[in-house]
Amino acid sequence: MKRKSMSKTLSGLLVAALMFTVLGVQAISTQQNAMSKQSDGTYVVNTSTLCKVKGYRSTTPLKIYIKNDKVEKIEALKNQETPKYFTRVKQEMLNKWNGKTVKKAVKLKVNGVTGATMSSDALKKNVKAGLEYYQTHK
């Protein structure tokens, strides 16, 4: 009787280990698609799979364009944030990193938009995650 119980336990552990391995590989391969390099040397980091930080209503994914180790521009991708507030966040915040070296941009302290604190914080976390990913994987 002990043998069957032990066998079931080992089988369960084996299945769990296999699932963890498969899921781990999937997560890695998903993140590998997070950055691409354009023909002109510009890196584009898509934070959709890197950072699932939720703003007020949804995640706030971005595309970060980096050329010669400087942030060229940051674009907000489709999200479910309240348009009235998120438009202000985009207008007042996204250009703050432009022209900065990645090293300086990662450390940059950008003020959020009053009335859109959660969206602002999510955007800042996405920028940081994208820039750190670039630094590690370029």
Side-chain angles (χ1 to χ4, degrees):
M1 195 124 170
K2 274 189 172 181
R3 248 182 170 188
K4 281 186 180 183
S5 177
M6 187 180 221
S7 177
K8 283 183 181 181
T9 301
L10 287 174
S11 295
L13 289 173
L14 183 59
V15 168
L18 182 58
M19 286 176 57
F20 178 75
T21 302
V22 169
L23 292 174
V25 169
Q26 183 179 3
I28 290 168
S29 66
T30 300
Q31 283 190 351
Q32 286 176 345
N33 296 326
M35 186 165 65
S36 62
K37 187 175 181 182
Q38 297 178 337
S39 60
D40 69 350
T42 301
Y43 285 89
V44 181
V45 180
N46 184 327
T47 66
S48 296
T49 59
L50 295 178
C51 192
K52 298 286 187 182
V53 178
K54 187 175 177 187
Y56 180 69
R57 299 171 95 191
S58 70
T59 57
T60 55
L62 306 169
K63 275 192 178 178
I64 304 170
Y65 295 80
I66 303 165
K67 186 171 185 180
N68 298 325
D69 215 37
K70 288 187 177 180
V71 178
E72 284 202 324
K73 68 178 177 176
I74 301 174
E75 293 177 351
L77 299 176
K78 185 177 178 181
N79 62 65
Q80 300 301 314
E81 294 296 275
T82 309
K84 174 182 172 183
Y85 293 103
F86 201 70
T87 297
R88 287 183 46 223
V89 169
K90 291 188 301 186
Q91 290 172 344
E92 295 180 32
M93 292 180 68
L94 288 182
N95 64 353
K96 299 294 184 185
W97 290 273
N98 294 354
K100 307 274 190 286
T101 64
V102 172
K103 187 175 180 177
K104 287 183 180 178
V106 166
K107 297 176 184 175
L108 189 64
K109 302 292 183 204
V110 174
N111 291 329
V113 174
T114 302
T117 304
M118 293 174 75
S119 297
S120 298
D121 289 346
L123 186 128
K124 290 188 276 187
K125 288 176 184 175
N126 268 282
V127 170
K128 186 173 181 171
L131 294 173
E132 288 174 346
Y133 185 86
Y134 166 80
Q135 287 179 314
T136 305
H137 296 88
K138 66 179 175 178

